[in-house]
Amino acid sequence: MSAHDEGFKIALEEAKQGASEGGIPIGACLVDKAGNVLGRGHNMRIQKSSATLHGEISALENAGRLPASAYKGATMYTTLSPCDMCTGACILYKVARVVMGENNTFVGGEEHLKRNGIEVVNLQNAECAALMKKFIDEHPDKWYEDIGEPS
């Protein structure tokens, strides 16, 4: 797993798209065990005034309704450590692996993923961290709202 994986490149593109829309720059891409992109998306909480449309949830939504077998062996690429909600979705759909861009900005449910047999890979990607730092510096209130904490 590396920053050169197609799934990670797509997740990063999605994060940049979210930033260009004035949203929180977190992107995700769900890839099946054969390497096919099932779904991709980015955090749309601000753009759609949504309580739940995080990057990983957006990727799952854009994948559409799939049989449980579609997720077997799948990898969720995300630019940031997944929150508890997105962690739960990965566990529910039994993805095999979560590859994150970084977790310096935020540490989500990584240990919970591991306890549920999901491989967790942290790429410690500087570009992901820089996107988040810029957003948080400019919009701390929106960031804290996104992670469910008071600003």
Side-chain angles (χ1 to χ4, degrees), residues 39-117:
R40 59 188 286 169
H42 54 274
N43 187 304
M44 298 279 292
R45 288 191 71 249
I46 293 169
Q47 298 93 313
K48 295 208 173 192
S49 194
S50 169
T52 59
L53 208 45
H54 283 190
E56 298 89 340
I57 302 301
S58 179
L60 286 163
E61 180 69 18
N62 290 330
R65 183 177 171 197
L66 298 171
S69 61
Y71 304 103
K72 186 170 179 64
T75 299
M76 177 66 80
Y77 291 90
T78 179
T79 56
L80 184 65
S81 179
C83 73
D84 289 339
M85 175 178 64
C86 297
T87 291
C90 289
I91 292 167
L92 175 69
Y93 291 109
K94 297 178 176 51
V95 300
R97 179 181 310 104
V98 172
V99 177
M100 72 186 83
E102 60 101 359
N103 69 353
N104 291 331
T105 302
F106 174 80
V107 177
E110 297 169 35
E111 292 305 315
H112 193 49
L113 289 166
K114 292 175 188 175
R115 281 192 303 274
N116 280 274

Side-chain angles (χ1 to χ4, degrees), residues 11-32:
L12 188 53
E13 287 172 12
E14 288 287 339
K16 291 175 182 177
Q17 177 66 33
S20 76
E21 297 168 357
I24 300 165
I26 302 169
C29 181
L30 181 64
V31 177
D32 73 10

